Amino acid sequence: MYINKMIRQSILASVMCGGLIIVPAFYPPNINLAMPLISVAHAEVRMYTGVGEDYSNQYESQEIAKQRARRNAIKNATEQAGVYLRTYAQSINGNLSDDEISAITSNNYEVVGDVKYDKTVNQLSNTVTVIVWKATVKVNVDNAEVRAWLNRDAQIRANIVNQNNAAAQAAAENDRKIEDLRKRAETATTDSERTAIQAEYEQADNEFVTNLLLEEGNKLYYQGDYNGAIAKYNEALQLNSNFTFAYNNRGNAYSNLRNYTAAIADFNKVISLNPNDDYAYNNRGLAYADLKNYTAAISDYTKAITINPDMAEAYYNRGIAYQNMQQYNEAIANYNKAIAINPNYVEAYSNRGLAYADLKNYTQAIADYMKALTLNPNDAMTYYNRGNARFDLQQYNEAIADFNKAIELNPQYFEAYYNRGLIYHTLKDYNKAVADFSKAIELDPNYVVAYNNRAIAYAMSGNLEAALKDMNKVIEFRPNDGKPYHLRGLIYQMMGDNARAEIDFAKARELGYNG
């Protein structure tokens, strides 16, 4: 019995000291704020009727005027939808910004039936005739997109918001150009003036079509069809090879497809066309970070901050880069700056909490997680991270409660099951530990540390056959790691098979593990 007790102690030590890491969940780098998922109100599709007008004079294309009227009608309808979606978001505790509401409505609509056009001809003078086009459109907007939005990756949300803002900026600039041309057309008296105005109208119409392609690409990006989005951005660039918004958006799409070389090339092009484009530097930094070139990423974030000192997301992203380089104090300083600029930056609080945890300042980490949960009480990741900090402080019941909440919010959260299993193992509740490790394995059949710890929990509860089966699985995953051979040797000892135990101990030593 004495030998078995010592063996059991060795196996138990393997759980607590054997490199079975409680992995913190990291918020990804991003360039905006948004709140994750919550539930209550019912989803529904609502129809909105929008009306828009545009007119054309003798210089303008009638087809383009109709398209402008249609665009204005859709904008009118989606603005109505935005009022409702804001109320709906608030009903499920989703505190969305105006930019986010606009991004959702601009990309989440379906035109119902045909657009109705009415045409009116107005003779303003002997030389000026204006044709007014009135478009009436019906669109469906699904409020379920609010929940989908809240579940999106933070970086994707940020990209969508910035792309929507850029498209709106391009459209507004084009509208201003058309209005200026119309004023000039009314006073043009010479053929040379009229010829020049005609040429400028054609250029403005080309820009309008280019902007429509940009918006179509953005809608495909929103839907996750990155290849389709790239095709639309390519079309836009064929019409305007210096269209920085299209390069930037195409770069984001390439990044989402993990084609970082193409993404960086697009961001380089934006910077060559506009050296003061802070978002191009920020986005290129994100691509470098995805390539784990954190030094280059930090350089780009720093350049973005130099251009725009109030760019909270660049500080936040630079903080993540420093954190990945294990420079935790520098990371905290950058998160502090991001929070100073934007006191409601949920992800910055959460990641600052992780940096404090890395410094073993678990009390401060928990304070940051609590602040993040005050701003977003339905974020499974933050409950998970707070559970890890409470685990490290040996606040086991509180940690279990946090993992329970994380699992309630995200039933697929296999790391939360695994870490809760570690606590149950620590409390010597081996049956519950086995149940949690089993659930983690069910959700991720390649979760090798869960097999390892389930084997140990089985051994501690006396189910040696099950323990042996799991440790065999660990060795199958890690045939060149000496430690699982050593652990299997201990299990063989507990089973009284000292010959096989010695073979495994020898194999472990051969692979460099001495127990």
Side-chain angles (χ1 to χ4, degrees):
M1 292 298 295
Y2 176 73
I3 292 176
N4 278 348
K5 181 178 179 182
M6 294 299 293
I7 294 169
R8 287 165 63 88
Q9 288 175 344
S10 296
I11 291 176
L12 180 60
S14 295
V15 174
M16 303 311 297
C17 306
L20 304 179
I21 302 169
I22 302 173
V23 181
F26 230 108
Y27 271 95
N30 70 85
I31 45 179
N32 95 321
L33 312 172
M35 308 291 170
L37 171 74
I38 305 153
S39 59
V40 166
H42 298 291
E44 63 176 312
V45 177
R46 291 194 175 191
M47 180 180 289
Y48 299 88
T49 300
V51 177
E53 290 187 351
D54 198 68
Y55 68 89
S56 61
N57 54 35
Q58 65 268 35
Y59 299 98
E60 300 179 67
S61 162
Q62 297 302 309
E63 183 57 35
I64 295 295
K66 288 176 66 177
Q67 290 187 47
R68 289 181 185 278
R70 178 183 183 276
R71 180 207 61 183
N72 293 339
I74 291 173
K75 182 179 179 182
N76 176 251
T78 56
E79 285 176 349
Q80 296 173 51
V83 175
Y84 166 64
L85 290 186
R86 174 174 295 285
T87 301
Y88 175 76
Q90 291 171 346
S91 76
I92 59 171
N93 298 324
N95 183 23
L96 300 183
S97 68
D98 290 341
D99 284 346
E100 289 177 289
I101 292 292
S102 176
I104 294 170
T105 57
S106 297
N107 292 287
N108 166 42
Y109 68 84
E110 179 184 358
V111 176
V112 180
D114 296 328
V115 180
K116 178 184 176 183
Y117 292 101
D118 293 312
K119 175 182 176 181
T120 304
V121 179
N122 294 328
Q123 189 72 40
L124 299 184
S125 68
N126 292 333
T127 58
V128 178
T129 301
V130 169
I131 298 175
V132 179
W133 290 97
K134 178 181 177 182
T136 303
V137 62
K138 295 182 183 296
V139 302
N140 281 339
V141 176
D142 188 350
N143 68 7
E145 281 298 316
V146 172
R147 295 175 183 275
W149 177 264
L150 295 170
N151 272 331
R152 285 178 183 266
D153 175 82
Q155 184 177 327
I156 299 295
R157 294 197 308 265
N159 288 343
I160 291 170
V161 166
N162 288 324
Q163 290 169 359
N164 189 65
N165 289 345
Q169 178 184 336
E173 290 175 356
N174 186 254
D175 287 344
R176 284 192 293 270
K177 181 177 291 187
I178 289 294
E179 286 306 309
D180 178 67
L181 286 171
R182 285 169 177 168
K183 291 177 182 178
R184 288 167 55 195
E186 291 177 3
T187 59
T189 58
T190 66
D191 289 341
S192 60
E193 286 180 295
R194 296 186 185 99
T195 299
I197 290 171
Q198 183 69 59
E200 290 182 55
Y201 264 119
E202 291 174 0
Q203 181 183 354
D205 286 349
N206 182 74
E207 290 174 0
F208 176 78
V209 173
T210 304
N211 292 342
L212 287 184
L213 290 168
L214 179 75
E215 292 171 10
E216 291 173 15
N218 291 350
K219 196 168 184 180
L220 291 167
Y221 184 101
Y222 180 93
Q223 295 166 358
D225 182 358
Y226 302 122
N227 285 311
I230 287 169
K232 287 296 180 183
Y233 299 142
N234 288 343
E235 289 185 54
L237 289 168
Q238 287 174 1
L239 295 176
N240 180 0
S241 60
N242 293 324
F243 197 12
T244 58
F245 294 150
Y247 283 113
N248 220 336
N249 295 1
R250 190 174 70 176
N252 288 334
Y254 278 130
S255 284
N256 290 331
L257 293 172
R258 299 184 179 181
N259 186 347
Y260 301 115
T261 300
I264 290 170
D266 274 347
F267 299 137
N268 288 345
K269 182 66 174 180
V270 176
I271 291 167
S272 71
L273 293 169
N274 180 8
N276 292 316
D277 192 315
D278 50 347
Y279 280 106
Y281 282 105
N282 184 78
N283 289 346
R284 190 175 69 178
L286 291 172
Y288 281 129
D290 284 331
L291 291 170
K292 302 188 185 308
N293 186 347
Y294 301 119
T295 300
I298 287 170
S299 176
D300 272 350
Y301 300 144
T302 301
K303 182 64 175 180
I305 290 166
T306 300
I307 295 169
N308 181 3
D310 294 325
M311 193 177 188
E313 53 269 31
Y315 286 105
Y316 170 78
N317 292 338
R318 192 169 67 176
I320 288 180
Y322 279 123
Q323 198 160 353
N324 282 321
M325 296 173 73
Q326 300 182 1
Q327 297 180 27
Y328 302 119
N329 287 315
E330 289 84 352
I332 289 168
N334 276 274
Y335 295 140
N336 289 345
K337 186 66 176 179
I339 290 167
I341 296 170
N342 185 346
N344 294 323
Y345 209 149
V346 178
E347 294 89 348
Y349 285 108
S350 291
N351 277 6
R352 190 174 69 179
L354 286 173
Y356 279 124
D358 286 326
L359 293 171
K360 302 189 184 306
N361 186 346
Y362 302 116
T363 301
Q364 187 59 54
I366 289 171
D368 270 347
Y369 299 144
M370 292 181 73
K371 177 63 177 179
L373 289 170
T374 299
L375 293 168
N376 176 20
N378 291 274
D379 182 15
M381 189 183 292
T382 302
Y383 282 106
Y384 171 80
N385 287 335
R386 190 173 69 177
N388 289 342
R390 285 174 164 171
F391 191 174
D392 286 317
L393 290 174
Q394 299 183 11
Q395 298 174 1
Y396 299 128
N397 289 331
E398 293 87 347
I400 287 171
D402 277 342
F403 293 136
N404 289 346
K405 187 66 175 179
I407 290 166
E408 175 190 332
L409 291 166
N410 180 6
Q412 306 301 309
Y413 211 153
F414 62 90
E415 297 97 336
Y417 284 105
Y418 172 76
N419 284 2
R420 190 175 68 180
L422 286 178
I423 297 178
Y424 285 131
H425 198 290
T426 302
L427 297 174
K428 299 184 179 180
D429 190 340
Y430 300 120
N431 289 332
K432 287 185 177 178
V434 165
D436 273 348
F437 296 145
S438 296
K439 184 64 177 180
I441 290 167
E442 175 189 330
L443 293 169
D444 182 1
N446 296 318
Y447 202 2
V448 61
V449 291
Y451 286 104
N452 188 95
N453 277 5
R454 188 173 70 174
I456 295 170
Y458 275 135
M460 299 304 294
S461 61
N463 190 344
L464 298 179
E465 291 294 338
L468 182 61
K469 182 179 178 181
D470 271 352
M471 200 54 67
N472 287 339
K473 188 72 173 178
V474 175
I475 290 171
E476 180 183 323
F477 278 114
R478 296 180 176 175
N480 298 315
D481 184 350
K483 183 169 186 176
Y485 288 99
H486 179 83
L487 292 175
R488 190 172 69 178
L490 293 175
I491 294 170
Y492 277 131
Q493 275 192 340
M494 294 177 74
M495 298 173 76
D497 191 341
N498 291 326
R500 289 187 176 181
E502 287 303 321
I503 292 172
D504 273 348
F505 292 150
K507 182 66 173 179
R509 289 192 296 270
E510 177 188 326
L511 292 171
Y513 185 81
N514 295 311

